[in-house]
Amino acid sequence: MRCLAAVLLLAAGCATEESEEAPVSRTAQTLSASGVSGPSAARDHGDLEPWSGQDVTIVGVFDHENFKTGVLTLASGLKVYIPHFDQFASGDDWLRHVGHRCAATGMLHTFTKPIEGYRGPSLKIYEFSGSGE
């Protein structure tokens, strides 16, 4: 039984590595696209639920909380939190993106936890495309 679990975990890890390359190329396309669609068009928490656990690209106006957690505010006003954004963007002057339209690619989580930055929905970030300043 443990061997089966190990094989499933290994297969899941391989599948994740393959799928990480596709969102990277979509991020720039999504940022430059004039229309908003997919998860970026969500109006409320329930609209994001179909994408929970999937790699997505979210486009919105970038902000932060306490210089640690990134926040993308969608056109609808819905906020998607990016926990530990400060660690992801370490060494970059990422505060220059505050107030600008940006895109972030990562795994979407719609659950909440009693942990700072996880008020949900949240994004486990893989890539960030800033405002291009």
Side-chain angles (χ1 to χ4, degrees):
M1 187 64 162
R2 287 185 182 176
C3 290
L4 178 61
V7 169
L8 290 175
L9 284 174
L10 182 60
C14 292
T16 301
E17 288 177 7
E18 292 172 5
S19 66
E20 283 180 15
E21 291 182 15
V24 170
S25 62
R26 286 193 311 250
T27 301
Q29 294 170 359
T30 304
L31 183 59
S32 63
S34 59
V36 177
S37 62
S40 297
R43 294 176 311 267
D44 58 31
H45 189 90
D47 287 347
L48 286 177
E49 196 61 41
W51 288 284
S52 184
Q54 296 182 28
D55 288 346
V56 299
T57 298
I58 302 285
V59 178
V61 176
F62 184 74
D63 202 355
H64 70 91
E65 285 191 357
N66 300 322
F67 302 97
K68 293 181 182 181
T69 302
V71 180
L72 280 178
T73 303
L74 307 183
S76 66
L78 181 64
K79 294 183 178 188
V80 177
Y81 295 89
I82 308 172
H84 310 294
F85 189 83
D86 60 329
Q87 294 174 10
F88 171 80
S90 178
D92 181 25
D93 179 20
W94 57 271
L95 291 175
R96 74 181 186 277
H97 301 297
V98 171
H100 296 282
R101 189 169 183 241
C102 299
T105 300
M107 183 179 289
L108 179 67
H109 298 287
T110 56
F111 58 85
T112 60
K113 288 184 173 183
I115 299 173
E116 183 182 345
Y118 274 96
R119 281 171 289 224
S122 63
L123 193 69
K124 179 182 177 187
I125 192 167
Y126 304 140
E127 182 188 4
F128 181 78
S129 292
S131 57
E133 290 185 310

